[in-house]
Amino acid sequence: MPLSASTTFRYTEQACSLPIELTPSPNDHSKKSGFLANQSNADSIRQPRPVSQVTRSHSARENLKSIVGALAIFLVLRVFLVEAYRIPSGSMIPTLLVGDWLFVNKAIYGAHIPFTSGSLPAFSQPRRGDVVVFVSPYQADEAARGNDPTPTLVKRLIGVPGDTVHMRDGVLYLNGIAQRQNYGASDASSVDAGNQTSPLFDWQKQAALRTSRFGPAPAQPTLDNWGPLVVPERHFFMMGDSRYNSKDSRYWGFVPRENVRGKPLFIYYSYNADDSDRPLPFLTDIRFSRIGHWIR
């Protein structure tokens, strides 16, 4: 029977619609398994961390950077600009009292560079009458007691290089001119204290002028009678305002220029630390009238 065109179409459609089953070869199966395994590993590597974990890590880094930055700024300010000091003794009464806390300008005289003997350039040089913070010359007697032999002190600058200083009967002379005692503390015991001597005065016997227009130096220096002494180059002569209650250049000599650390600015806190009868005097016996007092 001859086939018509429609018959041919139906046959072909039926032939094409027969189900065909493909059996994968062993090689194809292993390739597919390997691909799936590699895809799984890649997905696990690219899988992002939880948002909360990323946020915590970022926050911790930012906090650490802030702390390090703040610490660096604090150290720069403390080392090169301003530092706080506490007054532990009465050697500068009435200018400074025991229990005064003050800020010190370290830049004005040239801030000391830590771990070196050098300093930054100074904005000003120490002048007569300035209250100065400095590192004491070596004190052998303090070392023998087990104390710090080079403590940081605050005194008034009396003599600069080239000045001649001496004292007679409790009156201080600078280059032959009597100086006003407008801040030195005085009491009834000062008369006996003025005749006091010390083995620590013996350095003056070698340094004092034997002959000068100011008269000879006393054979034995005392608190009220010593000198004349000429201040050497790049050194200063320091004394406390409370002349009979101050261990100063009369005892340990001239202060080298490189020992100067700064100039006190003002008192930012003060309390009665030496004779208060109140409990917790740093809270209950505050000297509010001294807070903000500029030091001169």
Side-chain angles (χ1 to χ4, degrees):
M1 177 178 176
L3 297 175
S4 63
S6 61
T7 305
T8 302
F9 178 77
R10 287 195 299 272
Y11 176 79
T12 304
E13 183 181 13
Q14 291 176 0
C16 291
S17 64
L18 292 175
I20 301 175
E21 182 177 356
L22 298 175
T23 303
S25 66
N27 291 336
D28 292 339
H29 182 73
S30 62
K31 289 178 180 179
K32 184 176 181 181
S33 299
F35 173 77
L36 293 175
N38 291 335
Q39 186 68 27
S40 176
N41 291 336
D43 290 343
S44 64
I45 293 174
R46 290 195 300 267
Q47 184 177 3
R49 291 180 293 175
V51 175
S52 60
Q53 185 177 355
V54 174
T55 303
R56 286 196 299 269
S57 177
H58 178 73
S59 178
R61 286 197 301 270
E62 290 300 317
N63 290 338
L64 180 60
K65 288 165 59 177
S66 299
I67 293 172
V68 172
L71 182 60
I73 293 173
F74 168 77
L75 290 176
V76 169
L77 291 175
R78 184 179 184 275
V79 173
F80 298 110
L81 296 178
V82 177
E83 187 173 357
Y85 285 87
R86 177 181 64 88
I87 301 302
S89 72
S91 67
M92 283 295 291
I93 292 174
T95 305
L96 297 172
L97 305 181
V98 179
D100 283 348
W101 295 70
L102 50 139
F103 284 126
V104 173
N105 183 346
K106 303 184 74 173
I108 187 170
Y109 297 143
H112 176 72
I113 302 174
F115 311 112
T116 71
S117 59
S119 300
L120 296 179
F123 294 97
S124 176
Q125 292 300 322
R127 297 178 298 180
R128 299 185 195 95
D130 284 353
V131 178
V132 178
V133 173
F134 59 95
V135 174
S136 168
Y138 184 81
Q139 301 184 43
D141 60 316
E142 296 296 336
R145 297 188 185 100
N147 300 328
D148 182 5
T150 57
T152 300
L153 305 174
V154 56
K155 307 288 182 185
R156 193 174 296 275
L157 195 159
I158 300 299
V160 299
D163 283 345
T164 301
V165 293
H166 72 283
M167 184 174 279
R168 292 293 180 266
D169 299 324
V171 178
L172 176 67
Y173 291 83
L174 177 63
N175 298 322
I177 301 174
Q179 303 299 296
R180 293 172 55 191
Q181 301 286 94
N182 57 340
Y183 42 71
S186 177
D187 55 38
S189 64
S190 299
V191 176
D192 293 334
N195 295 323
Q196 187 179 31
T197 186
S198 169
L200 299 178
F201 293 164
D202 287 348
W203 72 272
Q204 297 184 29
K205 296 177 181 179
Q206 302 298 323
L209 298 177
R210 299 185 183 278
T211 59
S212 72
R213 61 188 179 95
F214 310 117
Q220 177 58 57
T222 66
L223 283 177
D224 273 355
N225 292 278
W226 50 266
L229 302 166
V230 178
V231 182
E233 193 67 27
R234 291 191 59 80
H235 286 74
F236 302 109
F237 192 88
M238 306 287 190
M239 292 182 69
D241 286 355
S242 181
R243 298 285 165 77
Y244 301 108
N245 189 33
S246 174
K247 189 178 181 184
D248 46 39
S249 284
R250 294 171 292 182
Y251 292 81
W252 31 252
F254 304 105
V255 177
R257 173 62 178 87
E258 55 269 23
N259 286 27
V260 173
R261 291 295 180 264
K263 181 179 182 180
L265 292 173
F266 63 90
I267 298 168
Y268 69 90
Y269 177 73
S270 180
Y271 73 98
N272 192 355
D274 52 351
D275 59 357
S276 177
D277 57 356
R278 301 180 184 179
L280 302 176
F282 62 93
L283 294 176
T284 60
D285 204 356
I286 299 174
R287 303 187 189 108
F288 290 99
S289 62
R290 292 189 62 78
I291 296 177
H293 174 72
W294 287 87
I295 301 167
R296 295 179 177 86

